Amino acid sequence: MSRAEGKPEPGDDTLWRLKRQGCEGVLILGAGYCGARLARALQHRGIRVVTTSRSEPPAGAASAASLQLQRRFDPGQGVLLADSDLDGISHVLVSIPPDAEGRDPSLAPLQGLLAGRPLQWLGYLSTTGVYGDTGGEWVTEADTPRPSQARSQARLRAEQAWRCSGLAARLIRLPGIYGPGRSSLEQVSAGRARRVIKAGQVFSRVHVDDIVGALLHLMGLPPGDHPEVVNVADDLPCAASEVVEEAARLLGCNPPPARSFEEVRDSMSPMALSFWQDNRRVSNRLLRDGLGYRLKHPTYREGLRAVLMEQRGGEPVP
């Protein structure tokens, strides 16, 4: 079990910092890949969590003794949270994507409920795609968003709606996310990986456990120390082909043959093609140097080793 997901290690002061900031209960709207992992990390630290999904929770999912309560929340179908579901909630994380027009389905039905409560922190998970294409240049939180993709434009509109909500929302912008079950290791193992070469093209990424770790860190900051926008990315933007090559090396197999982007572009889906249209390096300097978060996986090399180690039940990776 990973450090961010599992029980705190000796010397981990996360719980102390969360309690210092009045963290008694956390509402996670949209407990998907990142949200569910954050919920487990909070539970292991003794923090009560309420998670939501559009599907009905399994029978027995919410017992009186449980530190996690699961609630169905689907505004499009008229399924809303009750006022009592927010009792004891001091911190909120929004991890629900907007619709194509940039409307966050959770904002309107929750704005009134949340506005009347003494919230200590509200975070909105967004994307670094809002920065658009910079030709491979670095972007920081100070750069003006210029999204080129329709989905990133929708995210920017959702960000703006939360900024105008009166709830003091904090924007956490994420690049490509990887981790157990969602990495180049699985793609290489299944024979689905492509080693595509496009001169000068780089991508930023972050391990899911560093998203969890950074969120815990940000929740524990005094409100005046938390900037409105924070990028959460690792230290090493690089070509996608380098990550595939490292995955193959760790698995002890040959990487797939190198193909130029021009060779394979006609076989790519519109979604896949859109990822290759933006080229930027995402700076994490504010998170790391300004706010003092120490990355668990500074690059994809440590991150992939951690994924493989978790897949092998903690067995060390040579």
Side-chain angles (χ1 to χ4, degrees):
M1 186 173 287
S2 69
R3 182 186 309 175
E5 180 190 8
K7 294 182 179 180
E9 293 189 350
D12 183 353
D13 66 350
T14 302
L15 179 59
W16 177 82
R17 290 189 295 104
L18 289 171
K19 290 293 188 179
R20 183 185 61 182
Q21 297 309 318
C23 185
E24 299 298 333
V26 180
L27 171 64
I28 301 176
L29 296 163
Y33 188 61
C34 296
R37 211 156 168 99
L38 174 63
R40 291 194 292 271
L42 288 163
Q43 282 182 273
H44 281 293
R45 289 168 170 83
I47 300 291
R48 177 175 170 269
V49 184
V50 177
T51 61
T52 73
S53 68
R54 287 184 296 178
S55 57
E56 195 69 38
S63 66
S66 174
L67 281 172
Q68 181 174 344
L69 302 178
Q70 299 178 36
R71 294 288 185 261
R72 186 179 175 215
F73 179 56
D74 190 353
Q77 298 297 318
V79 181
L80 305 178
L81 294 178
D83 189 70
S84 59
D85 291 327
L86 277 65
D87 287 348
I89 295 299
S90 58
H91 291 57
V92 176
L93 178 72
V94 182
S95 183
I96 297 176
D99 64 19
E101 302 303 316
R103 289 184 292 264
D104 187 317
S106 65
L107 178 53
L110 284 176
Q111 188 170 1
L113 289 177
L114 295 174
R117 293 179 175 271
L119 288 183
Q120 301 300 309
W121 184 87
L122 189 151
Y124 177 75
L125 291 188
S126 186
T127 170
T128 56
V130 298
Y131 293 114
D133 179 28
T134 66
E137 295 299 318
W138 288 95
V139 293
T140 73
E141 292 84 351
D143 288 303
T144 301
R146 293 185 175 87
S148 56
Q149 306 296 322
R151 65 180 180 278
S152 298
Q153 293 166 2
R155 279 288 187 182
L156 184 59
R157 288 192 287 271
E159 283 189 5
Q160 292 166 340
W162 279 104
R163 276 176 154 163
C164 297
S165 68
L167 295 171
R170 299 293 184 255
L171 309 178
I172 295 96
R173 291 175 178 161
L174 308 175
I177 303 167
Y178 74 100
R182 295 191 182 186
S183 77
S184 294
L185 292 165
E186 289 83 8
Q187 295 172 352
V188 170
S189 295
R192 294 184 281 105
R194 282 181 164 183
R195 187 158 56 115
V196 179
I197 310 297
K198 186 179 181 183
Q201 179 81 42
V202 296
F203 296 93
S204 292
R205 58 192 59 78
V206 65
H207 191 290
V208 65
D209 283 347
D210 270 313
I211 298 173
V212 170
L215 287 171
L216 293 174
H217 184 82
L218 293 171
M219 288 179 187
L221 291 175
D225 292 349
H226 195 312
E228 186 180 24
V229 181
V230 179
N231 295 334
V232 178
D234 74 14
D235 292 342
L236 187 63
C238 70
S241 58
E242 294 181 29
V243 183
V244 173
E245 290 163 5
E246 178 65 7
R249 188 190 70 79
L250 288 171
L251 292 170
C253 63
N254 293 324
R259 305 282 298 279
S260 71
F261 176 74
E262 289 70 24
E263 285 182 86
V264 301
R265 66 184 307 166
D266 290 342
S267 64
M268 287 184 174
S269 68
M271 177 63 78
L273 277 173
S274 70
F275 284 106
W276 289 83
Q277 291 175 14
D278 284 354
N279 183 14
R280 62 183 166 268
R281 289 175 165 85
V282 178
S283 171
N284 65 12
R285 185 169 295 178
L286 174 60
L287 174 70
R288 188 191 61 193
D289 299 339
L291 301 176
Y293 177 69
R294 183 178 178 182
L295 288 160
K296 297 172 174 62
H297 311 299
T299 77
Y300 66 87
R301 299 185 186 97
E302 295 89 352
L304 288 179
R305 288 174 65 88
V307 172
L308 188 56
M309 186 172 175
E310 185 166 332
Q311 290 175 348
R312 295 177 176 179
E315 178 185 341
V317 178

